[in-house]
Amino acid sequence: MGLDGAKIIDSDLANDIYNDFMSLYDEGYKIEEIKSKIKEYKVELTDDLELEIYLTVFAQALWEIGENVDELKEQIEDLQKSDKAFAIWNKVDKNLAGERRKVVSRFLNKISVKRKSPRPRKKYRKVKNVIFATGDLLSLECKGKKIIVLTAGSFQNGNSFVYKFAFCNEVFDETPKEKDINRLEFFGRKIPSSLDECGFVLGLEEIFVEHSDLVKIKDEFAKFAHVELDKEKYGDGSFSYSSSTEEIIKDYDRISSNSNELRYNISLREIS
């Protein structure tokens, strides 16, 4: 996780949580639905530093829209008293740790008073003709072989609608039969997490494609099946944006040739 500074929203994780929250808010989701979706981040946290970032950003977003943050405030205060997060900040950068402590202290004072002018929902153009749904299995022709692609999810990012795709770890001469679908495995990784009883969470290695780009190349994908995925069983292991078939194939080559100690092929059985 990249840390850019000590501010409440000053890291990759903080930006992801805040942007997801506000995207859901602007899309019109009910507050309880937003809370439920943001809480999914918690299972992927790796240590108490990330827990502190998660709690503070969650509280910041809720405070901005005028919601009650007393419960989160109490959790942040307890974490601050324990010094568990501070100890990790201190290992990363002692100067940053000192500044972070001041930032969190000021933040707790700020959110103790309800915001007078809550942030209103923004209105964005919604995509009505979604091309592929979460769980759709697709095939993409490449050099006489079929690359199997899983639609792992989608999300609204401002005016952009984005699809998440993951690649199967095998290529095929023919489209897999129905009886073989549950045996398919997709490139992913085990993300270490001290906050999960298994010690890790599953994350798919993904490419993101915006709707406006997918419209131009959608006919190059052939949907051959659909599976119901359980989004609580997986998250985003890594991602990069692609905008053309050529880029997608390059990303497939990059992901399939990459190997590290975290690489773990995730079967459909594990996430459905």
Side-chain angles (χ1 to χ4, degrees), residues 120-135:
R121 295 180 191 261
K122 295 178 181 178
K123 294 183 179 180
Y124 294 117
R125 177 178 54 83
K126 291 187 177 181
V127 171
K128 296 180 180 179
N129 54 331
V130 174
I131 299 170
F132 298 121
T134 299

Side-chain angles (χ1 to χ4, degrees), residues 68-82:
N68 185 287
V69 294
D70 289 346
E71 185 178 339
L72 285 169
K73 181 174 178 287
E74 185 176 331
Q75 292 178 54
I76 297 166
E77 289 172 337
D78 289 343
L79 190 57
Q80 288 300 102
K81 290 175 185 177
S82 73

Side-chain angles (χ1 to χ4, degrees), residues 161-179:
F161 187 81
V162 183
Y163 300 85
K164 301 179 180 182
F165 295 122
F167 297 113
C168 182
N169 68 330
E170 295 181 71
V171 292
F172 295 83
D173 293 320
E174 300 292 337
T175 302
K177 305 296 183 184
E178 184 176 352
K179 63 182 178 64

Side-chain angles (χ1 to χ4, degrees), residues 7-242:
K7 292 184 289 187
I8 297 302
I9 303 175
D10 222 357
S11 66
D12 295 341
L13 176 61
N15 277 289
D16 288 345
I17 294 171
Y18 183 81
N19 291 336
D20 279 356
F21 185 104
M22 290 305 174
S23 291
L24 293 168
Y25 180 61
D26 291 334
E27 283 179 53
Y29 279 76
K30 295 178 181 178
I31 302 303
E32 289 307 312
E33 291 177 319
I34 299 173
K35 288 181 179 179
S36 178
K37 288 181 178 292
I38 295 302
K39 285 176 181 177
E40 292 175 7
Y41 272 96
K42 196 169 183 178
V43 300
E44 298 183 20
L45 303 177
T46 61
D47 56 33
D48 288 302
L49 184 151
E50 290 194 355
L51 177 60
E52 183 198 83
I53 290 173
Y54 161 81
L55 292 172
T56 52
V57 176
F58 199 177
Q60 170 71 27
L62 285 168
W63 179 82
E64 283 188 22
I65 65 172
E67 290 294 311
N68 185 287
V69 294
D70 289 346
E71 185 178 339
L72 285 169
K73 181 174 178 287
E74 185 176 331
Q75 292 178 54
I76 297 166
E77 289 172 337
D78 289 343
L79 190 57
Q80 288 300 102
K81 290 175 185 177
S82 73
D83 267 347
K84 290 180 180 179
F86 178 76
I88 302 174
W89 278 97
N90 206 39
K91 287 181 181 179
V92 175
D93 187 313
K94 290 184 178 180
N95 292 328
L96 204 60
E99 181 60 27
R100 177 68 178 186
R101 175 162 274 176
K102 295 175 185 177
V103 166
V104 174
S105 178
R106 291 195 296 268
F107 175 72
L108 288 170
N109 288 333
K110 181 181 78 170
I111 65 173
S112 65
V113 180
K114 194 169 185 178
R115 191 176 189 182
K116 293 181 180 179
S117 302
R119 175 193 183 283
R121 295 180 191 261
K122 295 178 181 178
K123 294 183 179 180
Y124 294 117
R125 177 178 54 83
K126 291 187 177 181
V127 171
K128 296 180 180 179
N129 54 331
V130 174
I131 299 170
F132 298 121
T134 299
D136 283 353
L137 283 164
L138 321 168
S139 66
L140 175 65
E141 292 283 341
C142 177
K143 299 177 182 177
K145 299 286 187 177
K146 294 183 184 294
I147 297 173
I148 304 304
V149 181
L150 170 67
T151 310
S154 60
F155 63 95
Q156 188 85 27
N157 183 19
N159 279 322
S160 299
F161 187 81
V162 183
Y163 300 85
K164 301 179 180 182
F165 295 122
F167 297 113
C168 182
N169 68 330
E170 295 181 71
V171 292
F172 295 83
D173 293 320
E174 300 292 337
T175 302
K177 305 296 183 184
E178 184 176 352
K179 63 182 178 64
D180 298 319
I181 286 175
N182 278 337
R183 300 175 188 172
L184 296 177
E185 295 185 346
F186 294 80
F187 294 118
R189 60 181 63 190
K190 289 182 177 180
I191 305 170
S193 174
S194 60
L195 302 176
D196 188 275
E197 61 182 13
C198 297
F200 66 87
V201 293
L202 297 177
L204 289 166
E205 295 189 47
E206 300 164 335
I207 59 164
F208 289 0
V209 182
E210 294 192 2
H211 180 82
S212 57
D213 292 319
L214 189 59
V215 167
K216 303 170 188 174
I217 58 174
K218 64 180 182 179
D219 293 338
E220 297 187 45
F221 294 87
K223 175 184 171 182
F224 65 90
H226 177 85
V227 292
E228 291 298 323
L229 300 180
D230 186 343
K231 294 182 180 179
E232 293 186 0
K233 293 183 177 179
Y234 70 97
D236 304 329
S238 65
F239 70 89
S240 61
Y241 276 83
S242 295

